[in-house]
């Protein structure tokens, strides 16, 4: 920044010019000192994220926040490609994608002592990867949504996707999505499989007549809106969008229970803004932000001090009763079996 000479005049010793010069130099120093925090995020409901997180945090920290958005797999690939020269400070990822990043040495150890909201989290959210690199900032259930006008007998089991009247009217999450492995896991359990034997689940999935295997929740929502599917395993975070279709939909009460998953926040290895990254993560864990995100139906809270009205809570995964009943897969178990599951999915299921 250059200070024009005509602004200061020839005499720099007058009170006015000294004040002006000082103001300009302070402005220059502030501009140089202002930091930019780069966050790798999902890009879903970005307008709500900007309202509830980006702009309030920028005002609080006097910094700039820039989001690099995309799906989990693409963003993980970018983090890996830039491992030696990272340009991202905070990574918001699905739990097992974050575990993969941790295994690749892409994440810093977190200093949980810097998080003032840490004690307010549910226990499962405090170190979800069991390696000190993350905290969960949202949790969601994975169940089955179905059309109540097309399916008169309520769906009460994962096995009900195999009903004859649902043939060709089901969408499944692709195995490479965050909902894919938990859905396979629950199907396997429903048909008598064990963690060390997924043959029952894959055998049944190979017999299921599916309309499509979706990669993004927006695809599945469109299929419901266009009357092309009548049932699908769904992450609870998509429930608000599904209700917006104005179709008669219900969230199934499943006898085998619901699986669950988390989205976690981590600091990227090599970040030059580690302290600011901790501040940002602490901010998104605060009761005010978690409440705002929940009220806008963006994320279900992991801060147990959040209180929500019944009409909002009914659309999210909220409260100890709900979250304690979720069947959460260990991220190590997912990653240890993921490649084998993908191979088997591509060979036996997708056709």
């Amino acid at each position: 920044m250059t200070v024009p000479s005509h602004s200061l005049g020839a005499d720099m010793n007058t009170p006015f010019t000294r004040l002006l010069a000082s103001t300009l130099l302070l402005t220059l120093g502030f501009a140089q000192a202002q930091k930019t925090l780069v966050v790798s995020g999902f890009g879903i409901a970005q307008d709500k994220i900007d309202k509830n997180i980006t702009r309030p945090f920028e005002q609080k920290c006097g910094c700039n926040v820039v989001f690099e958005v995309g799906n989990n797999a693409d963003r993980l690939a970018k983090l890996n490609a830039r491992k030696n020269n990272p340009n991202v400070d905070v990574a918001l990822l699905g739990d097992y994608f974050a575990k993969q990043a941790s295994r690749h040495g892409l994440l810093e150890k977190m200093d949980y002592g810097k998080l003032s909201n840490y004690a307010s989290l549910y226990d499962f959210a405090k170190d979800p990867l069991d390696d000190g690199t993350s905290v969960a900032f949202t949790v969601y259930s994975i169940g089955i949504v179905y059309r109540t006008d097309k399916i008169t007998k309520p769906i009460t089991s994962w096995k009900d996707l195999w009903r004859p009247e649902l043939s060709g009217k089901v969408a499944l999450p692709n195995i490479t999505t965050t909902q894919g492995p938990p859905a396979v896991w629950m199907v396997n359990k429903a048909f008598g499989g064990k963690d060390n034997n997924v043959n029952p689940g894959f055998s049944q999935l190979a017999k299921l007549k599916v309309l499509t295997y979706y990669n993004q929740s927006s695809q599945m929502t469109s299929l419901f809106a266009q009357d092309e599917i009548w049932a699908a395993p769904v992450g609870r975070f998509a429930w608000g969008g599904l209700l917006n279709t104005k179709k008669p939909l219900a969230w199934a009460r499943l006898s085998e229970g619901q699986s669950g998953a988390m989205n976690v926040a981590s600091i990227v290895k090599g970040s030059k803004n580690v302290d600011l990254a901790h501040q940002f993560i602490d901010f998104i864990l605060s009761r005010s932000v978690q409440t705002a995100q929940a009220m806008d139906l963006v994320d279900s809270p992991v801060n147990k001090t959040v209180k929500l009205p019944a009409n909002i809570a009914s659309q999210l995964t909220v409260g100890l009763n709900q979250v304690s009943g979720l069947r959460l897969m260990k991220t190590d178990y997912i990653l240890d079996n993921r490649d084998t599951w993908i191979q088997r999915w591509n060979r036996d299921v997708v056709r």
Side-chain angles (χ1 to χ4, degrees), residues 242-309:
L242 285 166
L243 291 177
N244 288 337
T245 66
K246 307 302 181 184
K247 300 295 183 180
L249 297 168
W251 191 275
R253 296 175 179 267
L254 302 168
S255 59
E256 305 91 354
Q258 301 178 106
S259 184
M262 293 171 277
N263 291 327
V264 307
S266 302
I267 299 172
V268 176
K269 188 83 169 178
S271 165
K272 298 177 178 61
N273 296 305
V274 172
D275 286 340
L276 189 60
H278 277 93
Q279 292 173 38
F280 177 83
I281 292 171
D282 194 38
F283 185 73
I284 66 175
L285 297 175
S286 66
R287 180 168 61 182
S288 61
V289 171
Q290 294 256 304
T291 301
Q293 288 287 86
M295 291 297 293
D296 283 338
L297 301 180
V298 179
D299 283 324
S300 297
V302 293
N303 186 318
K304 59 190 177 185
T305 67
V306 171
K307 305 296 182 186
L308 298 170

Side-chain angles (χ1 to χ4, degrees), residues 40 68-82 93 97 216:
S40 175
E68 180 179 275
V69 300
N71 63 36
N72 280 290
D74 290 344
R75 293 187 293 111
L76 178 58
K78 288 179 180 179
L79 290 176
N80 206 34
R82 299 168 182 160
L93 293 164
F97 285 94
Q216 295 179 323

